[in-house]
Amino acid sequence: MAERQDENVQSSLQYDNVPCDQLLAQRNGLAQQYNLPTTAKPTFSNPAMGFGPFTPDMRSKAKRDSDKASGEIDAMNRSIERRDCGKPKKKETFALPGAKTG
C-alpha cells in the first residue's frame, strides 16, 4: 500500500507556470471539493506487519481520491509559498528610514 500512497506526492514544479491567482483559486476549489483544509498534506498509513511488500490497498475510492487531492494541494502550496503568491507585493522605496516624504 505504501508504494501506492507515495504516488500522491507530487512535484510542485508543475504549478510554477500557473498564475498565482489562478493557482490559489484552483487549490481552494480542490480543498472545498474534498472537504480538506488548504494546508492538506499527503498522509501515509503503516501497512500491516507480516503481509510483505504487496499489501492490498484497502482504502475506499473516496479515500484514495481524497488522498490524491491532498497531494495536489500540498504541491500547489509549495509552489505558492516558493513564489510568494498571495502576499502583497513589497513596494520599493528608496527613502531613508525616518525620512520625511512630501
Side-chain angles (χ1 to χ4, degrees):
M1 179 153 75
E3 65 274 1
R4 284 191 210 93
Q5 288 180 347
D6 58 355
E7 73 187 10
N8 294 326
V9 176
Q10 297 190 21
S11 170
S12 60
L13 298 177
Q14 65 183 320
Y15 298 108
D16 282 357
N17 56 3
V18 178
C20 283
D21 54 350
Q22 185 179 334
L23 186 56
L24 286 164
Q26 189 177 343
R27 180 210 54 195
N28 293 345
L30 192 61
Q32 187 175 17
Q33 179 183 348
Y34 288 97
N35 201 22
L36 294 166
T38 56
T39 56
K41 294 189 179 297
T43 57
F44 302 95
S45 58
N46 292 329
M49 298 300 286
F51 288 116
F54 301 107
T55 305
D57 190 348
M58 304 300 277
R59 299 175 296 161
S60 67
K61 177 172 177 9
K63 177 68 173 145
R64 286 193 303 270
D65 289 347
S66 177
D67 288 349
K68 183 176 186 294
S70 292
E72 289 177 36
I73 290 169
D74 181 51
M76 289 177 194
N77 281 336
R78 283 181 277 134
S79 177
I80 288 166
E81 188 174 314
R82 184 171 50 251
R83 297 185 296 150
D84 287 335
C85 291
K87 293 183 180 164
K89 300 282 184 227
K90 292 180 182 167
K91 293 186 177 177
E92 296 295 327
T93 56
F94 296 103
L96 293 173
K100 301 260 189 227
T101 56

